[in-house]
Amino acid sequence: MAKFLVQKSGPLEGDVTISGSKNAVLPIMAAALLTEDKCVINDAPALRDVDVMCRLLESLGASVNKNLECNTVEIEACGELTWEAPFDLVKMMRASILVLGALIVRTGRATIPLPGGCAIGKRPVELHLKGLKALGVRIDEDQLARGIVDASADKLEGSIIYLDFPSVGATEVIMMTAAMAEGTTAIENAAQEPEIVDLANFLNKMGARIKGAGTDTIKIDGVDSMKGVSHHVIPDRIEAGTFMVAAAITKGSILIRNVVPDHLKAVIAKLRECGVVIQMTDEGVLVRGDVNEMISTDIKTLPYPGFPTDMQSPFMSLLTVAKGPSVVIETVFENRFMHVGEFNRMGANIKTDGNCAIIPGDKELQGAQVVATDLRAGAAVVLAGLVAEGTTEISQIYHIDRGYENFVEKLRTLGANIMRVDEL
Ligand code: EPU
């Protein structure tokens, strides 16, 4: 198993170009199943999750031509598709559930085995299913009790769907299904993430009639057919936020290119509270951790436009070394503090109580053997390793490969002392 070795590094300096968004490209790839025409997706990041989605779409009968060196994926789902998603792919990537809606539209059926809980929470899908049922989809309850979503429909009809929580995945699956249902659908308390807007833009280019994406109510007038299109995926706001923290924690100065600052309002506001100087320039966002001393702040994760849960662990790395204590409250996932144990191995002395973490701050971290417990937690311990004395050895880095394109190369270009080693 490969590992990262990270040594204390000086201030990170230079510029970095952000890749296309993982969480935008995955639903867009699933949505390409809605047409028999070819869709060309540009700025698709070369990531393990994108690779798994390519294999999943192929296993369902689509022809997929990926050239991730050029960051393009072409998907052509002409002909018959199978409705059964194989467990060996689904268990590798929870986002496999995103094919649910498009498969029902195309084949009238979808069976997807659920992988169960993961390191950050239980990850149920009852909101996806509630929405689909409202559109006329039958769910086999016996199969569901065995952990298999077996969904079928003869006819899809628009409906009003209220989501008890603004789930990103549920909003995406319902949007894809309703796009080709008869009549009008309204999703109330919909997720408002930029990735939802990108999916709606992609679907609208294909011929869908979706309004209100990015607000809490999305209205969808169903259409009969969709056509192939070409699309550029939005930049990855979580990758951008991670590099912002890298500049802050190392007291460096990084120009972040290919970023939409509006997607990062909460993260930028919180970094400024810590003393980071952030300037919008014509070329990108200049993030300077070399101007002021870093001071503590409190954060509470929320659905967009609140502070993103995916930035909670990377931001916590900064709070471990900032001056003064901080409180972090996680409200989106019920178990997203696995990284706390890893930070504590490095001397952070964080205490948790339920969904609340208390970070004393002011710590001089020490390198240690730590684990990337999930994708973002993995990035977080890399950031901590950049300022820790000695060597930080990070295992289970396949999590990081799922979501950060060329992470080591990008960090090394900025001056980070990090290398990937294959364990003997
Ligand atoms: N939830 C339910 N019932 C449901 C659906 C969700 O209770 O039917 C709960 C979840 O258990 C969780 C919360 O709602 O506690 C948020 O889940 P959501 O459905 O919004 O998340 P997701 O669609 O599974 C996406 C991202 C995650 C990101 C979350 C929240 C993708 C592929 N994944 O997941 O990204 O954390 O939204 O913003 O888009 C990551 O990139 O590291 C990552 C985990």
Side-chain angles (χ1 to χ4, degrees), residues 106-216:
R106 281 294 298 276
T107 71
R109 188 157 178 206
T111 62
I112 304 180
L114 297 170
C118 73
I120 61 176
K122 291 196 288 283
R123 317 288 298 265
V125 294
E126 88 281 357
L127 295 174
H128 308 52
L129 303 185
K130 171 182 166 178
L132 292 181
K133 281 185 197 165
L135 298 174
V137 175
R138 294 179 300 275
I139 306 292
D140 184 325
E141 296 297 334
D142 291 338
Q143 289 282 67
L144 192 59
R146 290 189 204 98
I148 298 169
V149 174
D150 187 349
S152 53
D154 307 319
K155 189 176 177 203
L156 295 167
E157 271 184 288
S159 184
I160 296 175
I161 299 160
Y162 170 78
L163 294 181
D164 303 87
F165 181 88
S167 156
V168 173
T171 304
E172 290 167 344
V173 165
I174 297 166
M175 246 165 59
M176 289 184 226
T177 317
M180 294 191 73
E182 211 177 286
T184 302
T185 296
I187 311 176
E188 295 174 348
N189 199 28
Q192 303 177 39
E193 272 70 1
E195 294 76 21
I196 302 283
V197 178
D198 206 27
L199 175 62
N201 288 341
F202 178 72
L203 290 167
N204 283 342
K205 273 194 222 170
M206 291 175 84
R209 293 171 62 198
I210 301 174
K211 285 193 188 136
T215 74
D216 64 359

Side-chain angles (χ1 to χ4, degrees), residues 59-89:
S59 76
L60 297 171
S63 143
V64 179
N65 186 359
K66 68 171 194 287
N67 186 343
L68 289 179
E69 271 169 36
C70 302
N71 294 113
T72 55
V73 179
E74 296 177 356
I75 298 163
E76 195 169 359
C78 58
E80 282 217 356
L81 302 180
T82 164
W83 62 77
E84 285 174 295
F87 186 59
D88 58 340
L89 291 175

Side-chain angles (χ1 to χ4, degrees), residues 13-17 253-257 410 413-414:
E13 311 269 354
D15 55 309
V16 64
T17 302
S253 173
I254 303 179
L255 176 68
I256 303 190
R257 298 180 189 274
K410 286 182 181 182
T413 306
L414 295 166

Side-chain angles (χ1 to χ4, degrees), residues 22-24 26-27 49 94-95 97-98 120-129 165-170 172 191 193 195 237-238 302-304 308-310 331-334 336 374-376 402-403:
K22 167 180 88 74
N23 290 346
L26 295 174
D49 276 8
R94 209 156 298 272
I97 194 74
L98 292 171
I120 61 176
K122 291 196 288 283
R123 317 288 298 265
V125 294
E126 88 281 357
L127 295 174
H128 308 52
L129 303 185
F165 181 88
S167 156
V168 173
E172 290 167 344
E193 272 70 1
E195 294 76 21
R237 63 193 166 99
I238 306 302
L302 287 168
Y304 192 85
T309 174
D310 292 341
T331 77
V332 177
F333 287 102
E334 70 276 16
R336 210 171 195 179
D374 78 69
L375 162 59
R376 308 302 170 187
R402 283 187 38 225

